[in-house]
Amino acid sequence: MRFAALEFALPVALWGLLAALPIVAFHLYFRRRRRVFVAFAPLLVESAGLVRSEARFRRLRDFASLALRLLALTCAVLALAGLRPVDASPPARDLLLVIDADITTAAREADGVLRLELARRLAQDFVRAQPARAGDLDRTAGVVGVVLAAGSARLLLAPTDDRARALGRLALPLVPEATRVDLTAAVSIALAAATERAAADIVVLTARPVVKPSLPAHVGWRVVGTGSVRDDQGFVDFALERAADGGSYVVRATVRNDAAVARERTLIVRVGDVESARETLVLGPEASRDVTFEVTATADPKWLELALQGADAFPGNDAVLARLAPGARPAVLVVHDGAVRPYTAAVIEALAAEGLVDAARGGYVRGGDLGRAPAADVVLVDGVALPRTALVPGAYLFLAPLAGALPFEIRGSVDRPLLWRMAAGHPLVAGLSLEKAYVARGQALAGEGLVPLAWAEDAVMIAEGERGGVRYVVLGLDPEGSALPLQLALPRLVRQAVLRLARAPAQALAPLYRPGEILRPLTPLPGGPQAELVWGGSVTDPVLAEVGRGHARAALAPD
């Protein structure tokens, strides 16, 4: 016969056996007291029979009573101590906590406590609930580790079985991050630590949805919510689009109310330091509202700020910042063959008078001299055949007649083309009507990368495209001998094509930043990392001198 090895789950309970001492002491005390009280009783009851034999039964009864009491105490203590076979005890499981410190943890719950503070307290509770090591309440049966999902995921507490050390580390305050953090990276760190253990559990403390990774069989997974904030209003979508003429921006934003009751917030729009719009928004319960407005582009870069006036549980989504780049003034170089056609010159002069093109950097040049001309944002080919070597990557506007080096193909001539079909919604032909315009002749267009914009029957007459680094817009309708120069159609098409082709100079910063977001230059700053950044006529805080190394953060109100 083989007996299994036994162990106690809670050995400290064995101290309960000391209760046997008072039990035995009280038993002896009451037994001696009874004997003294009945010492003379046999003298009074001689006729009752033998007293000595009854004494034997009395001693046996007293011993049995004491033995049963001690047996009951022993059974109770063994039950509390958890006597069991060694093989029956479950293996100790390690605990790896992941605390989400995303910007949303700055939200305050109904009792005014930060969501991140609730996560910290929950983490402490999980540590306290860890089973103790056999015979040592200060040590956990498995180790405890904590990963913090902050600006960069990091190990907040290296795996340890010291319960006091773990609770002490989690007693330190945590600060929400200013931007959204990568929770997946933090979970990956915890998973890497968990796979090295025999048995481990990953517990993620977050109020955001998290994707469960692929886990080994010995690793458990649990997600615990850290908040239930509902009374929040904020921006959930934002778009900034430059108008086709480059003179303004169209701003679209969506504001959502997550509260279960209606809320009223005031939307304030500022360009630089000047308030440009104010609107009261009545937001239904758990409803969203779209707002759209237009902002005029300025000659200097400025910050556009959208802010919700008032307070709610989470102020982190109550403001949006966008950088308004100055209006682009492209240089247009007109290529001619001895003389610029009058209507072409009139259109360019009108654009310069409106301030939409830079007349000082543009100009006119013969086709044969194009290779020696200064670079321009847009090259307008005014019915000239370009040499093959002159067609280099860049932006071009081709006006018929078309010949020479071209990034597209000519599929023949079309007599008296009638344009009755346009590409719906395309900004180049939006609002144009050429159905009644008389045109003597045109040239059909085709080729790789060509996007048709207007047709005469099945022939493409107006198109845009890109091929070999050459971006272009082409008008296959010959203005000579037609009514186009006398109508608004030709000036409007040339205007929209120039502004569409012109690309603003490379910008060092992105067009949109949220408060607290790191300013990461897209291109090297003029003057290097020590360059001063100026927004709307005011110099920003000196910390922005470090923007070249990506350390500066956007501020709502730069000094």
Side-chain angles (χ1 to χ4, degrees), residues 10-20 77:
L10 190 63
V12 70
L14 295 178
W15 287 98
L17 293 176
L18 294 177
V77 169

Side-chain angles (χ1 to χ4, degrees), residues 536-549:
S538 61
V539 180
T540 59
D541 191 273
V543 72
L544 289 180
E546 299 294 322
V547 70
R549 290 186 285 273

Side-chain angles (χ1 to χ4, degrees), residues 480-521:
E480 293 291 340
S482 70
L484 287 179
L486 303 178
Q487 299 178 341
L488 292 176
L490 181 63
R492 184 169 183 175
L493 182 61
V494 172
R495 170 195 176 111
Q496 294 180 179
V498 167
L499 295 176
R500 182 172 177 82
L501 289 169
R503 287 182 175 174
Q507 299 293 328
L509 300 177
L512 169 63
Y513 289 97
R514 288 182 169 81
E517 190 171 352
I518 294 177
L519 301 177
R520 302 188 186 277

Side-chain angles (χ1 to χ4, degrees), residues 1 8 11 24 45 93 160 207 290-291 299-300 326 343 345 475 496 511 557:
M1 181 179 293
F8 293 104
V24 174
V45 289
R93 298 187 67 86
T160 178
D290 297 328
V291 291
D300 300 321
Y343 42 81
L475 177 64
Q496 294 180 179

Side-chain angles (χ1 to χ4, degrees), residues 221-354:
W221 174 263
R222 184 179 178 187
V223 178
V224 179
T226 56
S228 59
V229 170
R230 295 292 303 277
D231 191 9
D232 174 48
Q233 299 85 48
F235 294 97
V236 294
D237 195 14
F238 177 84
L240 183 68
E241 181 181 356
R242 194 160 196 159
D245 60 3
S248 62
Y249 290 90
V250 178
V251 182
R252 299 181 179 88
T254 302
V255 183
R256 177 169 176 80
N257 174 30
D258 281 331
V261 296
R263 289 284 186 263
E264 183 177 297
R265 300 291 295 271
T266 300
L267 172 64
I268 301 176
V269 181
R270 295 186 181 90
V271 178
D273 297 330
V274 180
E275 182 179 315
S276 63
R278 178 183 290 257
E279 182 180 354
T280 300
L281 303 179
V282 178
L283 305 169
E286 300 181 0
S288 300
R289 178 170 172 180
D290 297 328
V291 291
T292 303
F293 52 91
E294 189 171 344
V295 176
T296 303
T298 59
D300 300 321
K302 289 190 176 181
W303 284 108
L304 168 69
E305 177 194 346
L306 277 65
L308 294 177
Q309 193 177 52
D312 61 6
F314 178 53
N317 58 0
D318 289 356
V320 176
L321 283 177
R323 183 175 181 269
L324 300 179
R329 298 181 66 235
V332 179
L333 183 64
V334 180
V335 183
H336 59 87
D337 192 12
V340 181
R341 292 185 286 192
Y343 42 81
T344 304
V347 172
I348 299 302
E349 291 173 4
L351 291 175
E354 294 182 52

Side-chain angles (χ1 to χ4, degrees), residues 37-200:
F37 180 74
V38 298
F40 300 100
L43 300 177
L44 303 177
V45 289
E46 279 188 35
S47 61
L50 292 175
V51 177
R52 186 170 296 178
S53 62
E54 291 181 359
R56 294 192 187 97
F57 286 107
R58 185 180 301 113
R59 286 195 298 271
L60 178 62
R61 183 180 60 197
D62 291 343
F63 175 77
S65 175
L66 177 61
L68 289 175
R69 288 188 179 94
L70 294 177
L71 179 62
L73 174 64
T74 303
C75 292
V77 169
L78 292 177
L80 290 175
L83 183 65
R84 62 189 179 185
V86 173
D87 296 339
S89 60
R93 298 187 67 86
D94 296 330
L95 175 65
L96 294 165
L97 297 168
V98 179
I99 302 178
D100 187 8
D102 178 71
I103 186 174
T104 58
T105 59
R108 293 191 177 276
E109 296 297 322
D111 57 359
V113 178
L114 287 183
R115 179 179 287 174
L116 183 56
E117 173 63 15
L118 292 180
R120 187 190 65 80
R121 295 177 185 176
L122 278 173
Q124 287 184 311
D125 291 340
F126 272 101
V127 173
R128 294 189 184 98
Q130 273 290 91
R133 183 183 297 181
D136 191 350
L137 294 177
D138 295 330
R139 298 283 177 176
T140 56
V143 299
V144 177
V146 182
V147 180
L148 184 67
S152 58
R154 65 179 187 271
L155 196 63
L156 189 67
L157 174 68
T160 178
D161 63 353
D162 189 336
R163 193 187 304 271
R165 179 188 171 194
L167 292 175
R169 184 64 185 89
L170 289 172
L172 299 177
L174 300 177
V175 180
E177 282 294 315
T179 58
R180 193 175 180 89
V181 302
D182 190 353
L183 183 57
T184 304
V187 172
S188 299
I189 294 176
L191 179 58
T195 53
E196 299 175 357
R197 311 287 175 179

